[in-house]
Amino acid sequence: MATLPVYRWHLAPDGLATRRQLRALGLRPGGQDVAAQLERPRRRRGPLVAYLYRVDRARPVRPMTPGRAAALAAAMRARRTCPNCRTDVGYCIPRSLGMCVPCHDTPALSR
């Protein structure tokens, strides 16, 4: 098995892109293997690593279908619904709290 070429931050050659860069171009990796690795050094920890994919092998992003849009809307609605008061609070409920902020801040009367 061959090792991946490693490039330093901002020094990757043209024709390679990260997943986010591909997405900005309206592309996706499309099942291709990682072509290279990008490393950004840090002082006290290991380097940040990003994987690079070939742009010429990337495929277009699949279009959003009505079924996928409905599933995404249902998932987001579930993340916004408080399990305690059963209301849509309009924001994603923090997992650390497990309920909306007003329910968390209000002391329970019948515990």
Side-chain angles (χ1 to χ4, degrees):
M1 180 173 169
T3 60
L4 293 175
V6 178
Y7 299 103
R8 290 190 53 111
W9 203 251
H10 294 294
L11 296 178
D14 292 336
L16 297 177
T18 63
R19 282 183 178 266
R20 285 189 178 189
Q21 290 169 338
L22 288 175
R23 188 63 179 209
L25 296 171
L27 301 171
R28 62 186 169 99
Q32 65 174 301
D33 291 331
V34 175
Q37 186 172 312
L38 191 67
E39 288 188 354
R40 178 179 177 207
R42 296 191 289 184
R43 289 178 188 249
R44 297 176 199 261
R45 292 182 278 177
L48 288 174
V49 175
Y51 297 113
L52 298 172
Y53 300 91
R54 291 181 47 175
V55 177
D56 60 342
R57 288 189 180 173
R59 295 183 179 161
V61 175
R62 292 185 216 136
M64 182 66 74
T65 63
R68 288 176 64 196
L72 180 61
M76 293 306 295
R77 188 170 42 259
R79 289 183 66 192
R80 291 190 314 260
T81 303
C82 176
N84 197 21
C85 62
R86 298 283 184 208
T87 58
D88 186 346
V89 292
Y91 55 87
C92 288
I93 295 174
R95 293 178 63 195
S96 60
L97 300 180
M99 60 184 77
C100 65
V101 176
C103 287
H104 182 265
D105 291 342
T106 306
L109 299 176
S110 60
R111 282 197 185 198

